[in-house]
Amino acid sequence: MMVRIFKKENIDKALMLRLGAAFVLLICGIAIPLTNTVKLCIFIAGWLIAGYEVVIAAVAGLFRGGLLNESFLMSIASVGAFVTGNGAEGLAVILFYQIGEFFSDMAVDSSRDSISELMDLRPDSAHMLKDGEAVTLHPQHIPVGSEIVIYPGERIPMDGCVCLGASDVDTSSMTGEAQPIAVEPGDEVLCGYVNGAGTLRVTVEKEYGMSAAARILELVTDIADKKAPSERFITSFARIYTPIVVGCAALLAILPPLLFGGLWSTWVYRALTFLVISCPCALVISVPLGFFAGIGKCARQGILIKGGNVLERLAKADTVVFDKTGTLTSGHFSISGIYATDGVSAESLLSLAAQAEQLSTHPLAQSLRAACPDVPCHAPESFCEQPGKGVMLSSTSIIAAGNAKLMLELGVLVPTTAATSVHVALDGRYMGHIEFSDTIRAEAAACMRALRQRGTARLFMLTGDSEQSAEQVADALELTGYSSRLSPVDKVIELEKLKSSSNTLLYVGDGTNDAPVLAASDVGFAMGLGGTDSAIEAADVVLLGDDPYSVVRALDASRRTLSIVWQNIVVALSIKAVILVLGALGFASMWLAVFADVGVALLAVLNSLRALK
Ligand code: ADP
Ligand code: MG
């Protein structure tokens, strides 16, 4: 989707007319031969039309914090020009400053709008089935548990589960994933996906306001509050800089005439020129806009970055730590072997495991349930899931399903296994184990290669899985190192160790059992919307899709944004420095100063918008 820099609805028409009128007055005043008094009246009229709010803002700024802001600089420069008899310049200063502000405000508004528009993927109508008939309602009024119909080509209005029909859904606007995915009864669909050629019936599972899309929108709208250090630098820079500039201008106006007998009119004019040139508007506008554009670019690729501060840290990454299951591997386990103990059939072992896992969301549990769809599901008496170990469920008897660690705690002896395994015990008696294989994601190897090429060469993996499965993945991806058999708490300890030897550490996890590590890392990536709310909350970056390569895209976007921001800072300050010196020496007129100021601000804004591309 193209982001238009200037959108019609963001044009402030009244302001545009005022600026147009003032411009015509300026030209008339300069070009038409009139008496000086008439000219002065024309310039004053233009000044009032174009710039009264600049003066108001300047005075308000003074009262609010005694802060000398850009409006203040511009106001004294322009009033000063009038007082010294340079009416045309006085009007030009305010007029061109306003024109610069007009364009940059429009750029900021438009990019902000396009990002929120882009992220508001929620349709505002849905067809609910009522007594066999479809009635169209706002999805806000449709309760959880209702059935809705989605016709071909429609955007899915609420999160839910397909109960009838089959189709392909396009998830690209949510996840950036280009290939449509096939869905059939039993599959989850999210609000924001676009239905393909089939008609679907979906049982609503979440209220409209609780959907994944609503959560994304919330994240995106929060972004603006978190400022990057460079942004804060500009604000505090302006706070110190502006008074210094005003002080220098005052000295420039007063000292030469007093000490060396210079002409007052010449030196006051030079001082006013100096004020115009030194206005920091180029930076005040373009730096936040640059960060915003960088975040917007990522958002369009399904990468939600929670603020400019994250983007800035991300650019300095030198170490990346990955979770294994669901992050580097697909998380879709297939059963590779069933090893029941003597006297137990393979079917009953599988059925016990599936029964124990009926309430878990772990990828292993999902694949066990898929392998045994018609297992009896009685409401259990109690259920407990131990992160990184497994589950325990008691109904008529107690079933435990999990790894060797869990069995060790229960005092059940288990054989050592090479593959990822779920061991099953019934009332403390060992029933056997089920082995699983998981495939490494196709994009994982490319991701590692790309990270190494970018100088982010320290690549680690932390997993709760067995040593053998971990080693296999680490070898295949040529990782720098790995640790296995970790509980969620062990993961934090290992992460802290790695953190002490690195500058900036990224952690990438799928959101299952990794909220603590996500919070402990410098930048935490939660992958996929399948993760828990706490993980999405703790993460600094949320990847809507589940492609690990998004980490590389985020890294590239952050580095590009930072280089654009620094280009603006360096170029704007150098141009200003040169013209400042020229102005002080009397080689730059106020006209040159006005155009340099507006020109640099617009250039900086346009440069910032490159971060969106
Ligand atoms: P990773 O760190 O690789 O993402 P997890 O922390 O999700 O892995 O889980 C680590 C290990 O804990 C799994 O390999 C599995 O042995 C065990 N485990 C966790 N949850 C369950 C469960 N619901 N059922 C069975 N085993 C589980
Ligand atoms: Mg995991």
Side-chain angles (χ1 to χ4, degrees):
M1 217 181 286
M2 247 311 277
V3 172
R4 272 175 297 151
I5 300 175
F6 303 125
K7 286 196 199 169
K8 264 211 200 92
E9 59 269 27
N10 286 318
I11 297 179
D12 180 344
K13 291 222 183 65
L15 181 60
M16 197 168 71
L17 283 178
R18 281 169 44 205
L19 295 181
F23 188 73
V24 172
L25 288 176
L26 178 67
I27 300 295
C28 292
I30 294 172
I32 304 174
L34 296 163
T35 64
N36 279 346
T37 330
V38 178
K39 281 192 178 193
L40 185 63
C41 290
I42 292 180
F43 292 138
I44 291 180
W47 190 86
L48 288 175
I49 296 174
Y52 66 88
E53 72 254 54
V54 181
V55 184
I56 297 177
V59 175
L62 274 187
F63 277 112
R64 215 178 303 118
L67 194 75
L68 302 179
N69 53 18
E70 319 97 75
S71 315
F72 181 79
L73 286 185
M74 285 309 181
S75 301
I76 29 173
S78 139
V79 172
F82 271 104
V83 171
T84 51
N86 300 293
E89 281 94 333
L91 172 54
V93 166
I94 281 292
L95 178 60
F96 286 101
Y97 171 71
Q98 286 280 70
I99 291 177
E101 293 278 290
F102 175 74
F103 280 118
S104 39
D105 279 353
M106 212 150 65
V108 172
D109 286 350
S110 300
S111 54
R112 195 175 292 256
D113 281 5
S114 4
I115 293 165
S116 352
E117 242 165 60
L118 200 68
M119 300 324 288
D120 195 357
L121 302 167
R122 299 173 301 169
D124 45 20
S125 70
H127 319 294
M128 182 172 80
L129 279 182
K130 217 173 186 180
D131 311 321
E133 296 232 0
V135 274
T136 306
L137 289 173
H138 193 281
Q140 246 167 357
H141 306 303
I142 298 182
V144 172
S146 321
E147 240 176 66
I148 55 175
V149 190
I150 295 129
Y151 297 113
E154 285 185 337
R155 203 177 270 281
I156 296 177
M158 299 174 86
D159 293 3
C161 178
V162 178
C163 56
L164 193 73
S167 184
D168 286 329
V169 290
D170 176 358
T171 66
S172 59
S173 48
M174 298 275 284
T175 61
E177 167 65 54
Q179 285 296 321
I181 54 172
V183 292
E184 49 180 41
D187 288 336
E188 296 282 331
V189 288
L190 295 181
C191 166
Y193 288 180
V194 177
N195 189 16
T199 299
L200 292 174
R201 274 205 208 172
V202 168
T203 311
V204 174
E205 287 179 339
K206 276 196 189 139
E207 274 172 47
Y208 185 60
M210 305 292 283
S211 64
R215 219 159 50 179
I216 295 171
L217 188 66
E218 216 169 281
L219 286 179
V220 172
T221 14
D222 279 355
I223 284 171
D225 303 339
K226 295 189 187 162
K227 286 207 152 61
S230 322
E231 281 181 82
R232 259 180 268 142
F233 164 73
I234 292 301
T235 317
S236 36
F237 171 78
R239 194 165 298 156
I240 304 166
Y241 169 87
T242 317
I244 293 182
V245 165
V246 173
C248 290
L251 293 180
L252 193 62
I254 297 168
L255 288 187
L258 278 189
L259 299 182
F260 317 111
L263 268 179
W264 280 97
S265 60
T266 312
W267 287 98
V268 170
Y269 182 85
R270 285 187 191 177
L272 294 173
T273 308
F274 179 90
L275 276 185
V276 175
I277 304 164
S278 53
C279 173
C281 13
L283 300 181
V284 171
I285 301 162
S286 73
V287 170
L289 180 64
F291 280 104
F292 198 73
I295 291 171
K297 180 196 163 88
C298 291
R300 288 195 274 156
Q301 297 177 307
I303 303 166
L304 301 183
I305 297 185
K306 296 192 192 165
N309 50 349
V310 176
L311 205 64
E312 190 153 5
R313 259 183 278 144
L314 186 56
K316 297 188 204 118
D318 64 336
T319 305
V320 190
V321 180
F322 294 89
D323 167 57
K324 181 181 80 75
T325 315
T327 305
L328 290 179
T329 65
S330 70
H332 301 298
F333 289 97
S334 50
I335 294 175
S336 56
I338 303 179
Y339 304 88
T341 47
D342 294 342
V344 178
S345 71
E347 290 78 47
S348 56
L349 177 65
L350 198 59
S351 150
L352 274 175
Q355 213 178 320
E357 299 278 12
Q358 57 183 280
L359 293 174
S360 168
T361 53
H362 198 273
L364 283 171
Q366 286 172 11
S367 100
L368 278 169
R369 283 199 301 268
C372 218
D374 36 35
V375 70
C377 283
H378 315 293
E381 266 166 36
S382 76
F383 171 80
C384 111
E385 174 148 17
Q386 300 197 28
K389 289 179 192 156
V391 294
M392 299 241 281
L393 175 131
S394 64
S395 50
T396 45
S397 43
I398 302 175
I399 319 170
N403 53 19
K405 250 188 190 170
L406 180 77
M407 295 296 142
L408 188 70
E409 266 175 29
L410 299 173
V412 176
L413 281 178
V414 298
T416 47
T417 57
T420 305
S421 315
V422 171
H423 299 275
V424 181
L426 182 66
D427 291 327
R429 208 156 40 84
Y430 188 59
M431 306 298 283
H433 72 272
I434 302 162
E435 287 190 356
F436 294 83
S437 64
D438 188 4
T439 45
I440 296 178
R441 286 184 192 275
E443 311 85 2
C447 168
M448 301 303 160
R449 229 176 295 125
L451 286 172
R452 275 190 210 102
Q453 275 167 8
R454 282 158 182 74
T456 314
R458 286 162 43 90
L459 304 170
F460 295 90
M461 179 177 79
L462 301 180
T463 176
D465 206 348
S466 67
E467 170 69 20
Q468 288 86 343
S469 329
E471 189 180 9
Q472 225 181 337
V473 175
D475 284 352
L477 296 175
E478 300 174 34
L479 299 180
T480 319
Y482 68 92
S483 302
S484 60
R485 286 180 304 211
L486 302 171
S487 71
V489 179
D490 298 335
K491 281 196 187 179
V492 176
I493 298 170
E494 287 298 317
L495 191 90
E496 293 291 346
K497 278 188 210 156
L498 291 174
K499 217 167 129 180
S500 61
S501 62
S502 59
N503 284 326
T504 304
L505 176 146
L506 315 186
Y507 177 80
V508 190
D510 65 345
T512 311
N513 303 338
D514 37 20
V517 233
L518 282 170
S521 60
D522 293 315
V523 180
F525 283 70
M527 200 154 93
L529 283 169
T532 53
D533 285 348
S534 61
I536 290 179
E537 191 66 31
D540 301 297
V541 182
V542 178
L543 303 179
L544 301 183
D546 51 10
D547 176 357
Y549 201 82
S550 293
V551 176
V552 179
R553 292 190 196 107
L555 194 70
D556 286 349
S558 71
R559 291 189 175 163
R560 194 170 132 84
T561 304
L562 258 93
S563 84
I564 288 176
V565 164
W566 280 104
Q567 277 162 21
N568 281 348
I569 295 180
V570 170
V571 171
L573 289 184
S574 344
I575 294 184
K576 297 218 158 209
V578 170
I579 302 184
L580 266 183
V581 173
L582 289 180
L585 298 177
F587 295 119
S589 70
M590 198 178 264
W591 289 104
L592 178 64
V594 169
F595 288 115
D597 185 54
V598 177
V600 172
L602 287 181
L603 270 183
V605 163
L606 290 178
N607 192 32
S608 282
L609 286 175
R610 285 198 309 130
L612 259 179
K613 299 273 154 61

